[in-house]
């Protein structure tokens, strides 16, 4: 008979995300995960597989949280320009409220793990392509609505926005002055209009 999980998986993932987000993958030990989740090692291995498997599940959960936030933002946007402004406002507010200066877990993962594990690289590439497609669609609509210029193609602007967002989120680890961050956002957006 298969074993039945007797713990709250959502809680365990939340705790594991906190540890990985705080320490990164390489600096997180199995003991850190045991301490944070309240599970013993064998329960972690039996339920999630390896430390890497748990990390991947944490990344997917973290990504899912952002997918919901972004979807909500897009639903409430007046137009494509407003959608991009609202995306940057989301990231700006997160930077300002990030008292521990942890940054984005996926951005941190890119810096730490992008070329270390094939499964991580695949996840990051898929995440990047999905976000690029979203940005490209927003730019295309913005060009159709005449709120964005047509100097560059939607794909070129999507690449620019993606790298700008990554840089913005990375800069936000050390920079938390709201006015400076707002200047960065304004400069990025002015390129499009």
């Amino acid at each position: 008979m298969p074993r039945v999980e007797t713990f709250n998986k959502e809680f365990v993932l939340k705790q594991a995300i906190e540890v990985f987000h705080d320490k990164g993958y390489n600096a997180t030990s199995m003991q850190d995960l045991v301490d944070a989740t309240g599970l013993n090692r064998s329960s972690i291995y039996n339920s999630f597989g390896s430390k890497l498997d748990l990390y991947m599940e944490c990344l997917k959960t973290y990504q899912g949280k952002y997918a919901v936030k972004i979807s909500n933002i897009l639903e409430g946007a007046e137009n494509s320009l407003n959608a991009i402004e609202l995306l940057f406002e989301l990231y700006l507010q997160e930077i300002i409220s990030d008292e521990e200066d942890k940054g984005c877990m996926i951005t941190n993962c890119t810096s730490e793990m992008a070329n270390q594990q094939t499964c991580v690289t695949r996840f990051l590439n898929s995440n990047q392509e999905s976000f690029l497609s979203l940005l490209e669609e927003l730019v295309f609509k913005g060009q159709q609505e005449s709120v964005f210029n047509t100097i560059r193609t939607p794909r070129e602007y999507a690449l620019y926005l993606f790298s700008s967002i990554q840089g913005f989120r990375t800069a936000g680890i050390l920079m938390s002055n709201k006015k400076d961050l707002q200047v960065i956002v304004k400069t990025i957006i002015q390129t499009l209009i």
Side-chain angles (χ1 to χ4, degrees):
M1 180 160 36
R3 297 179 89 176
V4 177
E5 292 178 355
T6 57
F7 59 88
N8 181 327
K9 187 173 181 180
E10 187 177 317
F11 172 80
V12 168
L13 285 171
K14 181 178 182 282
Q15 297 305 108
I17 286 169
E18 285 299 315
V19 175
F20 284 128
H21 196 176
D22 187 45
K23 296 181 128 192
Y25 176 79
N26 291 311
T28 297
S29 68
M30 281 305 289
Q31 189 59 49
D32 292 329
L33 295 168
V34 166
D35 293 344
T37 64
L39 297 177
N40 61 40
R41 288 172 194 259
S42 64
S43 292
I44 292 173
Y45 286 123
N46 289 335
S47 300
F48 298 99
S50 68
K51 173 182 154 185
L52 181 60
D53 292 331
L54 175 56
Y55 183 64
M56 292 304 301
E57 194 152 345
C58 288
L59 285 173
K60 290 172 187 169
T61 301
Y62 187 87
Q63 177 193 45
K65 178 181 100 171
Y66 273 93
V68 170
K69 285 183 179 184
I70 290 170
S71 177
N72 290 339
I73 284 172
L74 297 180
E75 286 178 20
E78 298 168 13
N79 58 33
S80 296
L81 173 61
N82 183 238
I84 290 174
E85 289 170 338
L86 291 172
L87 280 175
F88 274 103
E89 183 63 25
L90 167 69
Y91 301 136
L92 174 68
Q93 292 307 316
E94 287 184 352
I95 289 168
I96 290 169
S97 65
D98 184 5
E99 295 176 6
E100 297 175 36
D101 296 323
K102 289 186 196 182
C104 167
M105 185 175 173
I106 293 176
T107 301
N108 297 347
C109 172
T110 303
S111 298
E112 180 187 15
M113 297 285 294
N115 297 317
Q116 290 187 20
Q117 296 286 339
T118 304
C119 61
V120 174
T121 304
R122 269 195 306 265
F123 169 83
L124 292 171
N125 283 332
S126 174
N127 183 66
Q128 176 178 306
E129 198 50 50
S130 175
F131 196 44
L132 279 168
S133 293
L134 171 72
L135 293 171
E136 188 174 355
E137 183 180 321
L138 285 173
V139 172
F140 177 78
K141 286 181 183 176
Q143 288 177 333
Q144 297 297 307
E145 298 163 346
S146 298
V147 294
F148 295 150
N149 69 58
T150 56
I151 296 170
R152 300 278 183 206
T153 67
R155 179 68 177 185
E156 290 169 339
Y157 275 137
L159 290 164
Y160 165 74
L161 285 170
F162 181 81
S163 64
S164 296
I165 289 167
Q166 295 303 305
F168 183 69
R169 297 196 83 178
T170 302
I173 294 171
L174 297 176
M175 182 187 301
S176 59
N177 180 295
K178 185 174 182 177
K179 287 185 180 182
D180 289 344
L181 293 166
Q182 288 172 323
V183 167
I184 293 169
V185 171
K186 186 176 181 182
T187 304
I188 291 166
I189 291 174
Q190 281 178 336
T191 303
L192 301 172
I193 53 179

